[in-house]
Amino acid sequence: MSIAKLEHINLYYEIHGSGESIVFIADLLESSQSWQFITNKLSLHFQVILFDNRCVGRSSECKSEFSIKDLAFDTVQLLDFLKIERAHIIGHGTGGFIAQEIAINYPEKVNKLVLEATAPFSNSRQIQLLNNYYNLLERETNRELWFRNYYFWIYSANFLENTEFVDSLVEFNLSYINPSNIKTFKHHVDAISGFDSRNRLNQIKAETLIIIGEEDILMMPTESEKLYQGISMASYPVYLERTGHSIHNENPKNFIHTLLGFFLKYNR
């Protein structure tokens, strides 16, 4: 088990493959394990770096609040720890918030930027939804039922018809080695609530790919499109059909194809 002992936190991380470095930053509640369906194929082309965000999975627990900017600093410190001067950065959902913060405040660390199912802010509906889910956890709601209801916001209707896979997801989350505690969930929700990059998107100078699930009801496509409107180096968003918020899990083949096209298009 690899642990990076950083200034304010200890982060669990994994490295797969070799070549140009790609850092994957996971969404709320997700850990390094959330990329398992795409890791093997991408590691044939790149050095894939996965890690557990602060207070998640096998990273150390938190005793105080933090911001998205703090989480971005954690990621940059991890790169320094690994002696990686510059990397491609991929952020999913909340990880996309962190990726934006890195691109704005540490542009020298970013090669190309990929923003998956994310936006420059969270609207009041999303914040209310996440706080409601926190309140349910605090009231000791049945965890299996909690996850099954949460998945309605994360996955498309078509994907949820695969009941065997959904059952396996529930089982994995219930038995994960270090499930996030209730207080950690609240800290992350508060960090999300305080993030807004709309007036700073023009500071992102990295070539940027925006990937949107057409059926994403958590991070609406119209909100993700604001990234394209604000980032001068962003290409027109890629929309994946019949796909919800968790694009790389629902549609890993097309997700990998899209990434390879973006990262390797000048090397063919």
Side-chain angles (χ1 to χ4, degrees), residues 122-132 153 216-220 223:
S122 286
N123 63 33
S124 59
R125 177 185 65 91
Q126 293 162 346
I127 299 305
Q128 290 179 53
L129 174 72
L130 294 175
N131 276 308
N132 286 343
W153 292 94
D216 190 344
I217 61 172
L218 181 63
M219 196 71 70
M220 300 294 288
E223 293 172 348

Side-chain angles (χ1 to χ4, degrees), residues 14-26:
E14 300 177 5
I15 298 178
H16 303 266
S18 60
E20 284 189 306
S21 299
I22 303 181
V23 178
F24 287 81
I25 310 177

Side-chain angles (χ1 to χ4, degrees), residues 54 62-67 70 187 190:
R54 183 185 293 213
C62 297
K63 298 180 180 179
S64 59
E65 297 180 351
F66 50 83
S67 66
D70 293 327
H187 286 334
D190 289 344

